[in-house]
Amino acid sequence: MSEPLLRAHGAFAGWVMAHEAPAATPGLLGDARAGAAERLGVYRNAYTARIIAALGEDFPALKHALGAASFDTLAAAYLHAHPSQHPSLRYAGARLPRFVAEHISQA
């Protein structure tokens, strides 16, 4: 892969995985149907939804106990506090048990 393509790929991945929408997205264009930020939002939402779905598969008892909507809210809060640091979904929930325990003790 060329150096410019590697940089573009890294920038795009950073934008998708960021908590907040980036202020600027050089090289990412919009059109009459959707601006660059809105288009990026599609990828950001899909990325988060996929990790939440994977967490639900990895922690089915927790999802059942909380209910789907509450689990999704908890998983989104967890991802905000502990963004995935590994390209594999396998490790996405590594800190979820501790996160849940901490939030239960604060309730």
Side-chain angles (χ1 to χ4, degrees):
M1 197 179 300
S2 71
E3 186 63 33
L5 186 55
L6 280 171
R7 281 195 306 273
H9 183 267
F12 184 78
W15 297 334
V16 168
M17 293 184 279
H19 290 303
E20 304 295 328
T25 53
L28 192 62
L29 305 175
D31 64 14
R33 293 179 294 169
E38 187 176 354
R39 287 174 175 251
L40 182 59
V42 171
Y43 287 95
R44 293 176 73 227
N45 292 339
Y47 172 79
T48 301
R50 178 60 190 116
I51 296 177
I52 290 171
L55 290 172
E57 293 168 11
D58 288 347
F59 297 93
L62 179 60
K63 184 173 182 174
H64 178 75
L66 295 176
S70 292
F71 178 85
D72 289 355
T73 300
L74 173 80
Y78 165 73
L79 289 174
H80 187 74
H82 301 285
S84 180
Q85 300 294 310
H86 197 278
S88 174
L89 286 173
R90 177 183 194 131
Y91 306 103
R95 294 175 280 185
L96 184 59
R98 178 177 280 181
F99 181 81
V100 170
E102 290 169 354
H103 281 74
I104 289 173
S105 67
Q106 294 174 2

